[in-house]
Amino acid sequence: QVQLVESGGGLVQPGGSLRLSCAASGIIFSSYTMAWYRQTPVKQREWVATITSGDFTTYADSVKGQFTISRDNAKNTVYLQMNGLKPEDTDVYYCTAQEGLITDWGQGTQVTVSS
């Protein structure tokens, strides 16, 4: 059974940083493409970043140069380093694990950027 558990969210002031983590279990982590999305009830779901099993990374234009996705296969964990946070980055952040046509989702972690 696939389980993805996000952590690291919280309240941060504008300009601050957070590092989100997503611990995976029940999968052969190193073979999965991992990604981060974000969403609030009033906004459309937005793809943020992806890292493939070969460590190839891609980013949404809205976060390019600001966020960094990485993975540690030994720890079955994917990370999202978020710098220079802005109020518009406030969202629930979800990680996903994809292999083939199947994508599994975590439960999300809240990030709030506010002074």
Side-chain angles (χ1 to χ4, degrees), residues 71-92:
R71 66 191 298 160
D72 185 338
N73 290 338
K75 295 182 179 180
N76 285 4
T77 300
V78 62
Y79 303 98
L80 186 68
Q81 178 67 44
M82 306 187 294
N83 298 327
L85 284 163
K86 305 168 234 180
E88 53 264 41
D89 294 317
T90 295
D91 260 315
V92 178

Side-chain angles (χ1 to χ4, degrees), residues 35-89:
W36 288 93
Y37 288 78
R38 61 187 181 184
Q39 184 177 20
T40 59
V42 296
K43 289 164 59 177
Q44 208 167 7
R45 178 184 297 166
E46 180 186 13
W47 165 73
V48 174
T50 295
I51 184 166
T52 68
S53 58
D55 283 343
F56 181 75
T57 57
T58 51
Y59 297 91
D61 287 342
S62 58
V63 305
K64 204 170 290 182
Q66 182 189 359
F67 292 2
T68 302
I69 189 171
S70 61
R71 66 191 298 160
D72 185 338
N73 290 338
K75 295 182 179 180
N76 285 4
T77 300
V78 62
Y79 303 98
L80 186 68
Q81 178 67 44
M82 306 187 294
N83 298 327
L85 284 163
K86 305 168 234 180
E88 53 264 41
D89 294 317

Side-chain angles (χ1 to χ4, degrees), residues 6-45:
E6 299 96 335
S7 61
L11 174 64
V12 62
Q13 292 188 340
S17 298
L18 282 175
R19 188 176 81 154
L20 305 183
S21 300
C22 173
S25 59
I27 60 174
I28 302 174
F29 181 80
S30 59
S31 67
Y32 275 65
T33 290
M34 304 298 294
W36 288 93
Y37 288 78
R38 61 187 181 184
Q39 184 177 20
T40 59
V42 296
K43 289 164 59 177
Q44 208 167 7
R45 178 184 297 166

